[in-house]
Amino acid sequence: MPRFAGLATMMRLPSATSPEGLDVAFMGVPLDIGASLRAGTRFGPRSIRAESVMIRPYNMATGAAPFDTLQVADLGDVAINTFNLLDSVRIIEEAYTRLNAFPVIPLTLGGDHTITLPILRALTKKHGPVGLIHVDAHTDTNDDMFGEKITHGSTFRRAVEEGLLDCKRVVQIGQRAQGYTSGDFQWGVDQGFRLFTAEQCWYKSLTPLMADVRAIVGDGPVYLSFDIDGIDPAWAPGTGTPEVGGLTSIQGLEIVRGCKGLNLIGGDLVEVSPPYDLSGNTAQLGANLLYEMLCVLPGVQSR
């Protein structure tokens, strides 16, 4: 089948209706009603899948051969309520909670960053409080946005308040730009987060940083949440809240590859907004970052 034809699944993988028998499941959450500036991330999962068709099985840079040892399929999209954010959050939590009955690791195509809260709610029912590696231009620790407690900018404050995170094992990478107060980045640090701003990452490889990150998060369960706006808009313009001075696509690869050896229980790639991604480059980068997440999951062997 030509790569431009056939069913539009992630990386042209089999489409499945159940996680039974799977080690890893790709899932889409087409949500954008939690976003605060540009909309359009509801089309993110479809665009990421479309741009994933060129991804081949073997990772020539790292030697990872994920399909040699893991059963992987695309479970399609969560049927969110496009008119009600809180109901959508409930639906997402229930969908991921159902996965807990199976030994499957979910990798999620977003969707705005609101989706990580219900995913964490579901996964912590199985694993308890988890560590977090969070790549983003923003800390997403607002107390509220326009009076609303659940939005894409308040995800990780709610996660802390609900006891979903092991705060001493939380790392944030790539934060930058401006704030409403001088202490906007401080809230998470006060909870125990380690914060590495974009400026701390300029002009250097992030491979050494990831050695420090692995030491921080340790051997416990950890979740990887990658907001595509952590990458500079020169490489990833198709997102809702772009900020200049961000990470490069190469640094993004270094971050994900640097998670090898961790006890990853899931991951997501969020905030791809195709209406602002006319070339498809943002979705293509998102698809490749998700593939790299697959390549560092427990059980993946190298060739």
Side-chain angles (χ1 to χ4, degrees):
M1 179 67 68
R3 291 186 175 273
F4 50 80
L7 294 176
T9 60
M10 183 65 180
M11 296 188 292
R12 306 197 305 161
L13 286 163
S15 175
T17 57
S18 167
E20 186 172 1
L22 298 181
D23 300 302
V24 183
F26 285 101
M27 297 176 65
V29 184
L31 184 80
D32 66 5
I33 53 176
S36 57
L37 186 60
R38 299 170 171 177
T41 53
R42 66 180 62 187
F43 304 114
R46 180 168 293 187
S47 182
I48 291 169
R49 288 183 174 106
E51 294 295 337
S52 74
V53 296
M54 281 295 290
I55 297 177
R56 300 149 178 106
Y58 292 94
N59 191 321
M60 303 308 291
T62 68
F67 303 108
D68 284 9
T69 53
L70 300 180
Q71 290 292 321
V72 190
D74 190 328
L75 287 182
D77 290 345
V78 176
I80 56 95
N81 180 346
T82 193
F83 298 108
N84 188 312
L85 180 59
L86 295 183
D87 191 44
S88 291
V89 167
R90 175 191 64 80
I91 293 167
I92 297 164
E93 180 180 350
E94 290 178 354
Y96 281 78
T97 298
R98 288 192 289 272
L99 298 180
N100 287 340
F102 303 89
V104 62
I105 298 174
L107 294 177
T108 302
L109 294 63
D112 72 56
H113 221 155
T114 312
I115 70 173
T116 306
L117 177 62
I119 294 173
L120 288 174
R121 286 175 175 174
L123 293 180
T124 54
K125 294 174 185 176
K126 181 176 183 179
H127 299 281
V130 300
L132 173 73
I133 299 172
H134 171 213
V135 184
D136 203 320
H138 316 94
T139 62
D140 292 353
T141 54
N142 293 321
D143 188 30
D144 65 81
M145 300 185 77
F146 295 94
E148 297 296 327
K149 290 290 190 177
I150 294 183
T151 72
H152 75 159
S154 59
T155 294
F156 298 109
R157 183 174 288 224
R158 298 289 89 79
V160 170
E161 293 171 347
E162 295 179 20
L164 309 180
L165 298 178
D166 181 354
C167 293
K168 298 298 183 182
R169 299 175 52 243
V170 174
V171 178
Q172 295 185 305
I173 304 171
Q175 287 68 35
R176 59 189 186 275
Q178 306 82 35
Y180 291 104
T181 73
S182 60
D184 269 9
F185 288 176
Q186 189 63 33
W187 187 87
V189 175
D190 291 342
Q191 313 310 307
F193 295 10
R194 290 290 301 275
L195 177 73
F196 298 95
T197 65
E199 286 81 1
Q200 291 173 277
C201 301
W202 284 357
Y203 314 119
K204 65 180 70 172
S205 166
L206 298 189
T207 299
L209 171 65
M210 291 310 297
D212 294 336
V213 171
R214 290 192 299 274
I216 293 168
V217 301
D219 298 328
V222 61
Y223 187 85
L224 173 58
S225 187
F226 201 121
D227 188 326
I228 202 69
D229 72 25
I231 304 295
D232 190 89
W235 284 271
T239 190
T241 48
E243 306 282 6
V244 301
L247 306 175
T248 69
S249 59
I250 294 170
Q251 289 175 316
L253 293 173
E254 288 179 320
I255 290 170
V256 180
R257 291 174 182 175
C259 293
K260 183 176 176 58
L262 296 178
N263 181 17
L264 286 170
I265 61 164
D268 61 51
L269 190 289
V270 299
E271 298 286 357
V272 170
S273 181
Y276 297 93
D277 189 31
L278 300 183
S279 68
N281 284 355
T282 311
Q284 184 187 55
L285 175 58
N288 277 271
L289 289 170
L290 283 160
Y291 169 73
E292 295 286 346
M293 291 184 196
L294 175 65
C295 287
V296 297
L297 292 181
V300 173
Q301 298 180 4
S302 295
R303 299 288 182 239

